[in-house]
Coordinates of all heavy atoms in Angstrom, one line a residue:
P5 N 96.2 66.3 94.1 CA 95.3 65.3 93.4 C 95.2 65.6 91.9 O 95.1 66.7 91.5 CB 94.0 65.5 94.1 CG 94.3 66.0 95.5 CD 95.5 66.9 95.3
G6 N 95.3 64.5 91.2 CA 95.3 64.6 89.7 C 96.7 64.7 89.1 O 96.8 64.7 87.9
G7 N 97.7 64.9 90.0 CA 99.1 65.1 89.5 C 99.8 63.8 89.2 O 99.2 62.7 89.4
S8 N 101.0 63.9 88.9 CA 101.8 62.7 88.5 C 103.2 62.8 89.2 O 103.7 63.8 89.6 CB 102.1 62.8 87.0 OG 100.9 62.7 86.3
L9 N 103.7 61.6 89.4 CA 105.1 61.4 89.9 C 105.7 60.2 89.2 O 104.9 59.3 88.8 CB 105.1 61.2 91.4 CG 104.9 62.3 92.3 CD1 104.8 61.8 93.8 CD2 106.1 63.3 92.2
R10 N 107.0 60.2 89.1 CA 107.7 58.9 88.6 C 108.7 58.5 89.7 O 109.6 59.2 90.1 CB 108.4 59.2 87.3 CG 109.0 57.9 86.7 CD 109.7 58.2 85.4 NE 111.0 58.6 85.5 CZ 112.0 58.5 84.6 NH1 111.7 57.8 83.5 NH2 113.2 59.0 84.8
L11 N 108.5 57.3 90.1 CA 109.4 56.7 91.1 C 110.4 55.9 90.4 O 110.2 55.3 89.4 CB 108.6 55.8 92.1 CG 107.5 56.4 92.8 CD1 106.9 55.4 93.8 CD2 107.9 57.7 93.6
S12 N 111.6 55.9 91.0 CA 112.8 55.1 90.4 C 113.2 54.1 91.5 O 113.2 54.3 92.7 CB 113.9 56.0 90.0 OG 113.5 56.9 89.1
C13 N 113.6 53.0 91.0 CA 114.2 51.9 91.8 C 115.5 51.5 91.2 O 115.5 50.7 90.2 CB 113.3 50.7 91.9 SG 113.9 49.3 92.9
A14 N 116.6 51.9 91.8 CA 117.9 51.6 91.2 C 118.5 50.5 92.0 O 118.6 50.4 93.2 CB 118.8 52.9 91.4
A15 N 119.0 49.5 91.2 CA 119.6 48.3 91.7 C 121.1 48.4 91.6 O 121.7 48.9 90.6 CB 119.1 47.1 91.0
S16 N 121.8 47.9 92.7 CA 123.2 47.8 92.6 C 123.6 46.5 93.3 O 122.9 45.9 94.1 CB 123.9 48.9 93.4 OG 123.5 49.0 94.7
G17 N 124.7 45.9 92.9 CA 125.3 44.7 93.3 C 124.7 43.5 92.6 O 125.1 42.3 92.9
F18 N 123.7 43.7 91.7 CA 123.2 42.6 90.9 C 122.5 43.2 89.7 O 122.2 44.4 89.7 CB 122.2 41.8 91.7 CG 120.9 42.5 92.0 CD1 119.7 42.1 91.2 CD2 120.7 43.5 92.9 CE1 118.5 42.7 91.6 CE2 119.6 44.1 93.2 CZ 118.4 43.7 92.5
T19 N 122.3 42.4 88.7 CA 121.7 42.8 87.4 C 120.2 42.4 87.5 O 119.9 41.4 87.9 CB 122.3 42.3 86.2 OG1 121.6 42.8 85.1 CG2 122.4 40.8 86.2
L20 N 119.3 43.4 87.0 CA 117.9 43.1 87.0 C 117.5 42.1 86.1 O 116.3 41.6 86.1 CB 117.1 44.4 86.8 CG 117.3 45.5 87.9 CD1 116.5 46.7 87.5 CD2 116.7 45.0 89.2
D21 N 118.3 41.7 85.1 CA 117.9 40.8 84.0 C 117.2 39.5 84.5 O 116.5 39.0 83.8 CB 119.2 40.5 83.2 CG 119.6 41.7 82.4 OD1 119.0 42.7 82.5 OD2 120.7 41.6 81.7
Y22 N 117.6 39.0 85.6 CA 117.1 37.7 86.1 C 116.2 37.9 87.3 O 116.1 36.8 88.0 CB 118.3 36.8 86.3 CG 119.2 36.7 85.1 CD1 120.4 37.4 85.2 CD2 118.9 36.0 84.0 CE1 121.3 37.3 84.1 CE2 119.7 36.0 82.9 CZ 120.9 36.6 83.0 OH 121.8 36.6 81.9
Y23 N 115.6 39.0 87.4 CA 114.7 39.2 88.6 C 113.4 39.8 88.2 O 113.2 40.4 87.1 CB 115.3 40.2 89.6 CG 116.5 39.5 90.3 CD1 117.8 39.5 89.7 CD2 116.3 39.0 91.6 CE1 118.9 38.9 90.4 CE2 117.4 38.4 92.3 CZ 118.7 38.4 91.7 OH 119.7 37.8 92.4
G24 N 112.3 39.5 89.0 CA 111.2 40.4 88.9 C 111.3 41.5 90.0 O 111.9 41.3 91.0
I25 N 110.8 42.6 89.6 CA 110.8 43.8 90.5 C 109.5 44.3 90.7 O 108.7 44.5 89.8 CB 111.7 44.9 89.9 CG1 113.1 44.5 89.7 CG2 111.7 46.1 90.9 CD1 113.9 44.1 90.9
G26 N 109.1 44.4 92.0 CA 107.8 44.8 92.4 C 107.8 46.1 93.1 O 108.7 46.5 93.8
W27 N 106.6 46.8 93.0 CA 106.4 48.0 93.7 C 105.3 47.7 94.7 O 104.2 47.1 94.3 CB 106.0 49.1 92.9 CG 107.1 49.8 92.2 CD1 107.5 49.6 90.8 CD2 108.0 50.8 92.7 NE1 108.6 50.4 90.6 CE2 108.9 51.1 91.6 CE3 108.2 51.4 93.9 CZ2 110.0 52.0 91.8 CZ3 109.2 52.3 94.1 CH2 110.1 52.7 93.0
F28 N 105.5 48.0 96.0 CA 104.5 47.9 97.1 C 104.3 49.2 97.7 O 105.1 50.1 97.6 CB 105.0 46.8 98.1 CG 105.1 45.4 97.5 CD1 106.1 45.1 96.7 CD2 104.2 44.5 97.9 CE1 106.2 43.8 96.2 CE2 104.2 43.2 97.5 CZ 105.3 42.8 96.6
R29 N 103.2 49.3 98.4 CA 103.0 50.5 99.2 C 102.3 50.3 100.5 O 101.5 49.3 100.6 CB 102.1 51.5 98.4 CG 100.7 51.1 98.1 CD 100.1 52.1 97.2 NE 98.6 51.8 96.9 CZ 97.8 52.4 96.0 NH1 98.3 53.5 95.4 NH2 96.6 52.0 95.9
Q30 N 102.6 51.1 101.5 CA 102.0 50.9 102.9 C 101.5 52.3 103.2 O 102.3 53.3 103.4 CB 103.1 50.5 103.8 CG 102.6 50.1 105.2 CD 103.6 49.3 106.0 OE1 104.7 49.1 105.6 NE2 103.2 48.8 107.2
A31 N 100.2 52.4 103.4 CA 99.6 53.6 103.7 C 99.7 53.9 105.2 O 99.9 53.0 106.0 CB 98.1 53.5 103.3
P32 N 99.6 55.2 105.5 CA 99.8 55.6 106.9 C 98.8 54.9 107.8 O 97.6 54.9 107.5 CB 99.6 57.1 106.9 CG 99.9 57.6 105.5 CD 99.4 56.4 104.6
G33 N 99.3 54.4 108.9 CA 98.4 53.7 109.9 C 98.0 52.3 109.5 O 97.2 51.6 110.2
K34 N 98.4 51.8 108.4 CA 98.1 50.5 107.9 C 99.3 49.5 108.0 O 100.4 49.9 107.7 CB 97.5 50.5 106.5 CG 96.2 51.2 106.3 CD 95.6 50.9 105.0 CE 94.1 51.5 104.9 NZ 93.5 51.2 103.6
E35 N 98.9 48.3 108.4 CA 100.0 47.3 108.5 C 100.3 46.6 107.2 O 101.4 46.1 106.9 CB 99.7 46.3 109.6 CG 99.6 46.8 111.0 CD 99.4 45.7 112.0 OE1 99.4 44.5 111.6 OE2 99.3 46.0 113.2

């Protein structure tokens, strides 16, 4: 707790220039 992380999302097969990229999360036990 209190720490940091950096997540990466690498795309292949297309360029990100024409897209929106979102981050989602699903907690344990939650739908």
Side-chain angles (χ1 to χ4, degrees):
S8 298
L9 283 175
R10 188 177 79 157
L11 305 183
S12 300
C13 173
S16 61
F18 71 108
T19 177
L20 292 177
D21 288 357
Y22 305 105
Y23 288 81
I25 300 296
W27 284 98
F28 291 76
R29 65 185 181 185
Q30 189 166 5
K34 291 193 175 181
E35 292 188 4

